[in-house]
Amino acid sequence: MTTESTEPAGPAEPTAASGGGGARAWLRERSELGVCLLLFALGVLVLTDAITMDVDIAQRGPIGPRTVPFVVGAGLLLVGALLAVDVLRGGRGEAEGGEDVDLDEPADWRTVLLLTGVFLGAAALIGPLGFPIAGALLFWGAAYALGSRHYDRDPLIAAGLSLFTYFVFDNLLGVPLPGGPLMGVL
């Protein structure tokens, strides 16, 4: 008398001996490990930079400029390690549904180039014009590049957002931003 299995026969798993690709196939099935490696490398970079940061703690108080990089670096290492454990246990990310994205449509290079130009222009103008003016041009240009055509409202919102950002960073957070020609006025 023989006993037969009631489980259906599935496809055999490829192994190195059967010519299935071995390590390359194993890594291809666990491509999320690349993200884990990237997170780990970024965490090490941030922590190394925080450790080598030259600060005088007597001027800053007990919580200095190293605190946030240490927290971010440790968080990157922790997330990378947890993701690696999940991937090695068989966890897999679900494929993106694409939401409302039509994958057959070409990329919108006009928007990408406009945003690139706006960012580079703001970076070039922040020195001579200061953050309030360069920031306003950055915010208005980004809104324009992303499709907003409210020519009366957008510059006002951009100027208000830029001034608000300038005051928050300069006065509340103590991060000096260049004021440019408006330095005496602000």
Side-chain angles (χ1 to χ4, degrees), residues 45-148:
L45 178 69
V46 169
L47 286 175
T48 303
D49 197 34
I51 290 170
T52 60
M53 188 182 295
D54 185 31
V55 285
D56 185 12
I57 199 70
Q59 294 178 354
R60 297 287 183 176
I63 298 180
R66 288 184 180 175
T67 305
V68 171
F70 273 122
V71 170
V72 170
L76 285 168
L77 291 177
L78 178 67
V79 169
L82 291 175
L83 181 60
V85 168
D86 182 52
V87 170
L88 292 174
R89 286 184 176 174
R92 297 197 47 116
E94 291 186 27
E96 181 83 23
E99 297 175 12
D100 293 335
V101 178
D102 185 6
L103 298 176
D104 295 330
E105 287 292 319
D108 185 8
W109 287 108
R110 179 182 180 272
T111 301
V112 172
L113 293 175
L114 279 173
L115 282 173
T116 302
V118 165
F119 285 123
L120 292 176
L125 294 175
I126 198 167
L129 296 180
F131 183 83
I133 295 173
L137 292 173
L138 170 70
F139 295 139
W140 177 78
Y144 179 83
L146 293 173
S148 179

Side-chain angles (χ1 to χ4, degrees), residues 6-20:
T6 58
E7 295 179 14
E13 299 235 357
T15 62
S18 65

Side-chain angles (χ1 to χ4, degrees), residues 166-178:
Y166 176 78
F167 282 120
V168 166
F169 275 86
D170 199 53
N171 296 332
L172 298 178
L173 297 176
V175 177
L177 294 176

